Amino acid sequence: MNRPTDPHRRRPAGQRRLRLPLALIALAGCGGALGLVLQPAATPLSAPGGERVAFSYCRDGSTLNCVVDGDTFRMDGARIRIADIDTPETRPARCPREAALGAAATRRLHTLLNAGVVALHPIDRDTDRYGRKLRRVTVDGRGVGDTLVAEGLARPYRGRRMGWCD
């Protein structure tokens, strides 16, 4: 026999407890999706008006706009780590092959950054353990990481650095 449902009748305790966590999970999911939509597509650190910024090498004494190595540079004094790639180490390189590839990646990054307007795109983490800003980097809308990977001077970052020596 079916009894009419009384809207004022209390539910068993187990059913009441389940509603709040499900509501919170749904709300958190919506908030996360909203955060992705509202997150800025790029955070340019170029000169006002989208002008080019001239980059030197950091070892030349510059600390404002300079290239450290194949995946790290300074822009307006902020240390930036290109988040989507891994390049060979230059200091210290673990073998002659890594030293040569690292030097080539550093030179190429220098050329790419000086070729147009640089834009920095945030990722899911703001900084790495060394305090560098983690960003995807584009120059005139083209991915710097994609270019370095296509040219064999970098590889996609997979959560940790890997060796370049055979």
Side-chain angles (χ1 to χ4, degrees):
M1 176 172 167
N2 291 338
R3 292 190 310 200
T5 306
D6 179 4
H8 301 289
R9 197 177 120 220
R10 293 184 59 116
R11 293 178 182 216
Q15 288 179 356
R16 281 194 312 268
R17 276 189 242 130
L18 188 58
R19 276 180 112 178
L20 183 59
L22 288 177
L24 289 175
I25 290 169
L27 184 60
C30 291
L34 186 60
L36 290 175
V37 171
L38 296 178
Q39 184 176 14
T43 306
L45 285 178
S46 58
E51 299 170 11
R52 290 183 178 189
V53 174
F55 288 86
S56 64
Y57 291 99
C58 294
R59 61 182 171 266
D60 294 340
S62 175
T63 58
L64 193 59
N65 299 308
C66 59
V67 175
V68 174
D69 60 24
D71 56 19
T72 306
F73 62 97
R74 288 182 178 269
M75 189 165 178
D76 291 341
R79 293 181 310 151
I80 310 296
R81 165 73 163 79
I82 303 175
D84 54 349
I85 61 170
D86 175 34
T87 60
E89 294 300 322
T90 57
R91 291 177 294 230
R94 291 178 276 283
C95 66
R97 177 176 180 265
E98 184 175 47
L101 281 172
T106 302
R107 288 190 303 273
R108 185 63 175 132
L109 179 59
H110 179 261
T111 300
L112 290 169
L113 293 176
N114 281 302
V117 177
V118 176
L120 306 177
H121 305 267
I123 65 164
D124 58 344
R125 284 181 34 210
D126 187 48
T127 59
D128 67 4
R129 64 182 177 171
Y130 303 109
R132 299 176 295 189
K133 297 284 186 187
L134 295 170
R135 300 291 185 267
R136 279 189 327 83
V137 180
T138 58
V139 175
D140 292 338
R142 290 183 299 271
V144 170
D146 295 336
T147 300
L148 291 171
V149 169
E151 294 176 0
L153 298 172
R155 63 179 146 223
Y157 186 70
R158 301 284 186 228
R160 64 180 181 89
R161 292 186 164 269
M162 297 169 33
W164 289 83
C165 301
D166 294 329

